[in-house]
Amino acid sequence: QVQLQQSGAELVKPGSSVKISCKASGYTFTSYDMHWIKQQPGNGLEWIGWIYPGNGNTKYNQKFNGKATLTADKSSSTAYMQLSSLTSEDSAVYFCARSGYFDFWGPGTMVTVSS
Amino acid sequence: DVVLTQTPPTLSATIGQSVSISCRSSQSLLHSNGNTYLHWLLQRPGQSPQLLIYSVSRLESGVPNRFSGSGSGTDFTLKISGVEAEDLGVYYCVQGTHAPWTFGGGTKLELK
């Protein structure tokens, strides 16, 4: 069965970076886009971007250009998202989701930015 | 960016009641390839969202057939024919026709 396992919660300082992971299993990792979505407390959903692990192609929401960097490791079937120059506005739960249909979701990784 | 406007923002229903949620787009979601990439998600409290309906009206595998989707162009509707307790949560429409993907603001379904 398809599963997306995400890394654990992060408490990070303003100005720093964080890298969160999404390990896929139960399907061919290189055949589907992996999307990343942000959800701030009590708020809705915001699309960050996607990566196609088959060839490494990426597409970003312009709003997250320079903030998020998506990568993928085919050998471990793991997608990564690095967030840089963190501020309190980056405190949120971050989800990975398979394909543009969002047919499978990870459990989310909570990132808290605080000094 | 495409703006998706969901109404109502909150919906109170009794068990067994049929309800509808509207999702209106700021531009047509008909892609040049003939497909319409408008999907519906449900986020139950404390959980990740799950896909219910994709491409306007296609029921995702394992989703009860009391859920149905309809619409075209800029106007779309999700209908639940006979609400059950497990249906409570926040419903989102999402479009992937035009980059960037965008989500509606959500409709919270509560028990009356």
Side-chain angles (χ1 to χ4, degrees), chain B residues 1-111:
Chain B
D1 296 359
V2 172
V3 176
L4 298 180
T5 302
Q6 284 185 238
T7 54
T10 306
L11 197 47
S12 294
T14 56
I15 301 300
Q17 183 180 350
S18 292
V19 298
S20 292
I21 299 169
S22 170
C23 177
R24 287 193 167 170
S25 174
S26 60
Q27 56 185 280
S28 175
L29 299 183
L30 177 62
H31 194 278
S32 56
N33 66 10
N35 294 325
T36 300
Y37 298 102
L38 186 284
H39 321 308
W40 290 95
L41 310 171
L42 165 61
Q43 186 172 30
R44 296 185 176 97
Q47 295 187 18
S48 307
Q50 70 166 102
L51 179 65
L52 299 175
I53 301 279
Y54 65 96
S55 299
V56 181
S57 59
R58 301 186 179 196
L59 195 66
E60 172 67 350
S61 175
V63 174
N65 60 12
R66 62 180 178 274
F67 292 94
S68 62
S70 63
S72 63
T74 59
D75 288 341
F76 303 92
T77 301
L78 174 71
K79 182 176 180 180
I80 310 172
S81 300
V83 168
E84 299 194 6
E86 65 181 20
D87 301 338
L88 304 184
V90 181
Y91 290 80
Y92 295 96
C93 55
V94 52
Q95 70 82 26
T97 296
H98 305 286
W101 272 253
T102 51
F103 295 85
T107 295
K108 186 175 184 180
L109 179 60
E110 302 174 326
L111 269 184

Side-chain angles (χ1 to χ4, degrees), chain A residues 2 4 11 16-17 22 24 30 35-36 38-39 51 53 56 63-66 70 72 88 90 96 98 104 110-111:
Chain A
V2 174
L4 301 176
L11 173 60
S16 68
S17 298
C22 171
T30 51
H35 292 244
W36 290 87
K38 177 182 181 181
Q39 185 168 42
I51 183 166
K63 178 179 177 180
F64 291 91
N65 271 337
L70 305 182
S88 59
D90 299 314
C96 58
R98 191 184 80 162
F104 290 93
M110 181 174 291
V111 174

Side-chain angles (χ1 to χ4, degrees), chain A residues 4 6 22 33-37 95-100 102-106:
Chain A
L4 301 176
Q6 294 189 233
C22 171
D33 317 333
M34 189 70 78
H35 292 244
W36 290 87
I37 297 99
F95 295 100
C96 58
R98 191 184 80 162
S99 89
F102 306 112
D103 54 355
F104 290 93
W105 291 66

